[in-house]
Amino acid sequence: MKTENQTFGAEFILLGFFQYGQMNTVLFVTIAGLFSVTLMGNIILIHLIRLDTPLHTPMYFLLSQLSFIDMMYISTTVPKMAANFLSNDKTITSLDCKIHTFVVLTLGGTEALLLGFMSYDRYVAICHPLHYPVFMSKTICLSMVTCAWASSSINALIHTLHVFQLPFCTSRIINHFFCEVPSLMPLVCEDTSQYEYTVLFSGLIVLLLPFMAILASYAFYQMSSGKGQTKAISTCSSHLIVASLFYGATLSTYTRPHSLHYPEEDKVVAVFYSIITPLLNPFIYSLRNKEVMGARKKITKALLLE
């Protein structure tokens, strides 16, 4: 098969998500609505945390970082999807695709690690409250966030540089709605099995380990709750469901060899970690949180009295 070297001037074609005939408009309006709600929910949560002094704690600092990541994540994927639909121009330059891939990997990896750190924060607060100021000091909290961003950026840079130095076939059609490593693998005109082991290893470290830490922290929480076990399960169940959606979808995408990927299935799975979880996170972490709801009522009341 004919191949060509990667250049900055070369273009790819993103087939996009909207390929369902008369359902195009309905899907577009639905996803545009979800995009707007997601942005609004995360912006409101970030401002509540910034404006309300009692929320200036490690837990809410980590939560504000999660909201920022979710805003960036959905802003990276949905606008290009919408632009492709509205303009009927499905091309994306090589440079834009590289940036897309790097940003998606960085944000996804940072969110995966951050969710793990958030579970550690809750574990310490619930199971070791007297040691919380020591185990979750400002320095440790900032180190966690820095570690998440730095390690994810390095991992994303390595994978992005490697993928785009591989020889692509002359057909540069990406059957997806944004650029990411698994969707680019079918375009490579050489054996990628060895590299796929590297992707699998990265996925297990960045995705599976934090997810296991979350499961373990909630297990310890329940064991420490004693008579309050039912309450613990009720409080944590919604958080665990959303985390499971994110980790389950990303693990499914990044730990399978490309021979087992099916484009239409992959696009649906990608919706869960690129659109659904950023939509659910601000509501899951705020609607069932008395402190956030109290801050919302207090700030709303203050604004009405002005």
Side-chain angles (χ1 to χ4, degrees), residues 220-257:
F220 282 123
Y221 175 22
Q222 291 176 21
M223 288 188 292
S224 300
S225 297
K227 295 180 180 180
Q229 184 172 352
T230 302
K231 182 180 178 181
I233 295 173
S234 173
T235 303
C236 298
S237 60
S238 56
H239 298 191
L240 196 57
I241 288 171
V242 175
S244 298
L245 282 176
F246 175 79
Y247 287 110
T250 50
L251 282 168
S252 173
T253 299
Y254 284 93
T255 59
R256 285 184 296 161

Side-chain angles (χ1 to χ4, degrees), residues 22-40:
Q22 295 181 349
M23 290 298 291
N24 278 359
T25 303
V26 176
L27 285 168
F28 173 76
V29 171
T30 301
I31 290 181
L34 293 177
F35 174 71
S36 301
V37 172
T38 301
L39 282 184
M40 187 179 302

Side-chain angles (χ1 to χ4, degrees), residues 174-208:
I174 303 173
N175 196 354
H176 207 21
F177 57 91
F178 60 90
C179 292
E180 63 175 348
V181 171
S183 64
L184 290 165
M185 285 297 96
L187 277 62
V188 178
C189 292
E190 69 176 26
D191 181 22
T192 60
S193 56
Q194 292 300 315
Y195 172 63
E196 286 175 22
Y197 284 118
T198 305
V199 176
L200 172 63
F201 179 74
S202 295
L204 294 177
I205 296 296
V206 176
L207 298 172
L208 186 60

Side-chain angles (χ1 to χ4, degrees), residues 7-297:
T7 63
F8 284 102
E11 291 184 337
F12 293 94
I13 297 175
L14 282 173
L15 291 185
F17 189 75
F18 306 106
Q19 299 182 54
Y20 303 97
Q22 295 181 349
M23 290 298 291
N24 278 359
T25 303
V26 176
L27 285 168
F28 173 76
V29 171
T30 301
I31 290 181
L34 293 177
F35 174 71
S36 301
V37 172
T38 301
L39 282 184
M40 187 179 302
N42 282 290
I43 288 172
I44 290 173
L45 184 55
I46 288 174
H47 277 289
L48 284 177
I49 294 171
R50 184 178 66 86
L51 294 173
D52 194 56
T53 304
L55 298 184
H56 293 177
T57 63
M59 172 187 172
Y60 292 106
F61 175 68
L62 295 175
L63 183 54
S64 68
Q65 287 289 307
L66 180 65
S67 290
F68 175 73
I69 291 169
D70 285 338
M71 285 197 312
M72 292 289 292
Y73 213 137
I74 200 167
S75 298
T76 301
T77 56
V78 172
K80 181 59 180 176
M81 186 196 308
N84 287 355
F85 174 76
L86 294 174
S87 66
N88 203 31
D89 178 13
K90 299 181 182 295
T91 60
I92 181 171
T93 66
S94 173
L95 179 59
D96 286 343
C97 195
K98 287 179 182 179
I99 295 172
H100 225 175
T101 303
F102 172 75
V103 172
V104 167
L105 282 174
T106 299
L107 294 175
T110 305
E111 177 158 351
L113 294 173
L114 198 64
L115 287 170
F117 289 143
M118 290 173 69
S119 72
Y120 168 77
D121 171 81
R122 289 300 82 205
Y123 165 72
V124 174
I126 294 166
C127 299
H128 303 283
L130 297 179
H131 296 95
Y132 184 80
V134 177
F135 291 158
M136 279 302 297
S137 65
K138 183 177 179 180
T139 301
I140 292 176
C141 186
L142 289 174
S143 298
M144 286 179 171
V145 173
T146 303
C147 175
W149 279 104
S151 58
S152 297
S153 298
I154 293 171
N155 178 66
L157 183 62
I158 292 171
H159 283 289
T160 302
L161 292 176
H162 181 79
V163 167
F164 282 91
Q165 60 84 35
L166 295 173
F168 291 110
C169 303
T170 51
S171 174
R172 291 173 173 268
I173 299 175
I174 303 173
N175 196 354
H176 207 21
F177 57 91
F178 60 90
C179 292
E180 63 175 348
V181 171
S183 64
L184 290 165
M185 285 297 96
L187 277 62
V188 178
C189 292
E190 69 176 26
D191 181 22
T192 60
S193 56
Q194 292 300 315
Y195 172 63
E196 286 175 22
Y197 284 118
T198 305
V199 176
L200 172 63
F201 179 74
S202 295
L204 294 177
I205 296 296
V206 176
L207 298 172
L208 186 60
L209 286 184
F211 188 40
M212 296 300 292
I214 290 173
L215 295 177
S217 67
Y218 284 141
F220 282 123
Y221 175 22
Q222 291 176 21
M223 288 188 292
S224 300
S225 297
K227 295 180 180 180
Q229 184 172 352
T230 302
K231 182 180 178 181
I233 295 173
S234 173
T235 303
C236 298
S237 60
S238 56
H239 298 191
L240 196 57
I241 288 171
V242 175
S244 298
L245 282 176
F246 175 79
Y247 287 110
T250 50
L251 282 168
S252 173
T253 299
Y254 284 93
T255 59
R256 285 184 296 161
H258 86 263
S259 59
L260 298 180
H261 280 265
Y262 303 97
E264 300 308 319
E265 176 186 305
D266 288 347
K267 284 187 277 190
V268 174
V269 171
V271 167
F272 280 95
Y273 60 81
S274 64
I275 297 176
I276 301 300
T277 52
L279 168 70
L280 294 178
N281 277 336
F283 298 100
I284 291 297
Y285 288 102
S286 63
L287 292 180
R288 300 193 65 176
N289 187 307
K290 293 181 180 179
E291 292 175 320
V292 174
M293 293 304 294
R296 182 185 65 80
K297 292 177 181 179

